[in-house]
Amino acid sequence: MSHDFQTDIDAVARIDAVNTILNVICQTTGMGFAAVARVTEDRWIVCQVLDKIDFGLAPGGELELVSTICNDIRDSGKAVVIDHVAEDEAFRTHRSPLQYGFQSYISMPIVRQDGSLFGTLCAIDPNPAKLNNPVTIGMFEMFAQLISAQLDSVDNVSLARAGLASERQMAELREQFIGVLGHDLRNPLAAIGSGTNMLLKTPLDDKATRIVTLMQGAVVRMESLISNVMDFASGHLGSGIELAKVRGDMRPALLQVIEELRLANPDREILARIDCETPVHADPVRVAQLFSNLLANALTHGAPELPVEVEASANGGSFLLSIVNGGEAIPAHLHAELFQPFSRPSGSAGRSGLGLGLYIASQIAEAHGGTIAVSSTADETRFTFSMPTG
């Protein structure tokens, strides 16, 4: 591999947002492989990759260019989106899916400021996926633009001026990144949520009611994922967790979270003991987000046959919120790692989620001057958030 390609790989590696972008792509599309690739007239080389399907490529890995659909994209300069290769007239006999065994594919060109093609932002999976829609395509377009903008910044700014230029560029990238997630994903999600609410007000048979209820649960879960990614982007790129503190009763916010997650998990039992009449000086929206992340974590990783218990109290100058689930104990040496971004509890391989919930919860706790403690035995796993009431 030539020095120029290593320079390209290093340039992409220096873009902090790329790892988050690849994680968001896999989680929102359900696909198992996403990558940023350098594409030239005769080479296809991976610069950064997230591989959950053991495709076998790492940064610096190379595929024969003519065996890839990116070769077509290099010629046309246009994205290629395939929901199901076997049903796609243009690509069902193409060499690439036949050779590499994928059924869904999306690749967006990364075009530099001077109009030249750097490469592609692409994703594949052995199963079909719903990709050919404005939300997914718009997300890929914006992510490709973000990568291109940062690559241009790396090229155009000297090392002596990199600090100031990077700060300005990161501010722009943050606003664009959050704008994509906040507008292009949340607006259609809100429409889906409104549609399911309307459907449940009409006469439906039992099967249709179950399906619409599951859709409502998926909307709640997706809203949580979007909020976590937006907060991670804000915190990781500089602005941190913002609070709007008021003094008031925390019960309505906690009860709303419980009802939302009961809706999203109709087969799970949630037992709640809420005793917090003492007013608390906090941001109720952020505390509800923290609680939602902890409770969703317990429902996801706890034993499904056992109830999840919630205890909340506000007295003696402290607000305490505990979430308890049964199931396999989390080893003590892993407790600190739980609150790192993209981390998941032991035994969670294959479970859904970005691995940001506990990290965001810990940041919200810290912003309130509080802490989250974890204890785990064969009998129960308990996460406890504590903060001053004043």
Side-chain angles (χ1 to χ4, degrees):
M1 183 174 56
S2 71
H3 173 75
D4 287 341
F5 287 119
Q6 188 59 55
T7 300
D8 292 331
I9 294 169
D10 292 342
V12 173
R14 285 194 293 269
I15 304 174
D16 292 337
V18 168
N19 284 330
T20 301
I21 287 171
L22 298 182
N23 269 281
V24 171
I25 285 172
C26 287
Q27 289 298 326
T28 56
T29 64
M31 303 174 82
F33 178 95
V36 175
R38 180 73 169 99
V39 181
T40 68
E41 293 182 356
D42 56 0
R43 306 285 291 275
W44 188 101
I45 295 175
V46 174
C47 294
Q48 195 77 305
V49 63
L50 176 60
D51 184 3
K52 298 182 178 182
I53 59 174
D54 295 325
F55 190 75
L57 283 176
E62 184 170 358
L63 296 178
E64 184 182 13
L65 178 63
V66 295
S67 73
T68 71
I69 295 178
C70 290
N71 192 37
D72 302 70
I73 295 171
R74 184 182 60 81
D75 293 336
S76 69
K78 297 180 180 179
V80 172
V81 184
I82 309 172
D83 287 347
H84 192 178
V85 168
E87 298 177 359
D88 192 285
E89 291 290 333
F91 290 97
R92 63 185 180 186
T93 60
H94 193 280
R95 172 181 173 180
S96 186
L98 294 176
Q99 180 171 345
Y100 299 119
F102 59 81
Q103 283 298 315
S104 55
Y105 175 93
I106 180 169
S107 186
M108 184 66 59
I110 300 172
V111 180
R112 302 295 296 272
Q113 187 176 19
D114 62 4
S116 64
L117 177 73
F118 173 84
T120 60
L121 175 64
C122 54
I124 64 171
D125 195 87
N127 298 310
K130 298 295 185 181
L131 306 172
N132 199 2
N133 58 77
V135 172
T136 301
I137 294 172
M139 179 178 68
F140 268 75
E141 287 177 343
M142 182 60 74
F143 286 160
Q145 290 171 14
L146 294 180
I147 294 169
S148 174
Q150 185 62 7
L151 287 170
D152 285 331
S153 177
V154 170
D155 283 351
N156 296 334
V157 181
S158 66
L159 290 176
R161 300 171 56 197
L164 291 175
S166 177
E167 183 177 345
R168 290 193 297 268
Q169 187 67 33
M170 284 301 102
E172 294 174 3
L173 287 173
R174 179 177 67 248
E175 295 303 322
Q176 293 178 30
F177 184 83
I178 293 174
V180 170
L181 294 171
H183 182 270
D184 289 350
L185 294 182
R186 270 188 163 157
N187 284 358
L189 191 65
I192 295 171
S194 298
T196 57
N197 289 334
M198 292 178 62
L199 284 173
L200 285 177
K201 294 177 182 178
T202 64
L204 299 172
D205 60 30
D206 290 344
K207 181 178 180 181
T209 300
R210 286 195 302 272
I211 292 173
V212 175
T213 301
L214 288 173
M215 290 174 64
Q216 282 190 320
V219 169
V220 171
R221 176 63 178 148
M222 194 64 189
E223 286 174 342
S224 176
L225 284 171
I226 293 171
S227 294
N228 286 340
V229 172
M230 290 175 70
D231 284 331
F232 176 76
S234 296
H236 196 57
L237 296 180
S239 65
I241 297 291
E242 297 181 357
L243 300 181
K245 286 187 175 183
V246 296
R247 181 174 296 279
D249 186 350
M250 291 301 301
R251 289 176 298 179
L254 300 180
L255 292 173
Q256 180 178 347
V257 169
I258 292 171
E259 289 308 308
E260 287 178 352
L261 287 178
R262 279 175 174 158
L263 176 67
N265 301 270
D267 298 329
R268 298 299 302 277
E269 184 179 10
I270 302 174
L271 304 178
R273 293 186 292 277
I274 309 297
D275 180 20
C276 51
E277 295 182 3
T278 301
V280 178
H281 188 228
D283 184 334
V285 174
R286 287 298 192 180
V287 172
Q289 183 184 1
L290 175 153
F291 177 37
S292 179
N293 287 351
L294 293 179
L295 184 53
N297 181 74
L299 291 166
T300 299
H301 302 292
E305 71 276 9
L306 298 176
V308 173
E309 300 180 28
V310 175
E311 303 170 4
S313 63
N315 51 63
S318 295
F319 172 73
L320 297 176
L321 175 63
S322 292
I323 297 89
V324 183
N325 64 266
E328 183 180 350
I330 305 172
H333 69 277
L334 295 179
H335 289 186
E337 297 180 10
L338 296 175
F339 299 99
Q340 296 301 312
F342 307 117
S343 175
R344 294 175 178 83
S346 174
S348 64
R351 303 280 183 90
S352 62
L354 288 170
L356 288 175
L358 294 181
Y359 170 76
I360 297 300
S362 70
Q363 297 301 297
I364 295 173
E366 182 179 335
H368 281 86
T371 61
I372 298 177
V374 57
S375 62
S376 187
T377 67
D379 296 323
E380 68 172 36
T381 293
R382 179 184 294 263
F383 286 81
T384 301
F385 166 53
S386 61
M387 60 166 284
T389 58

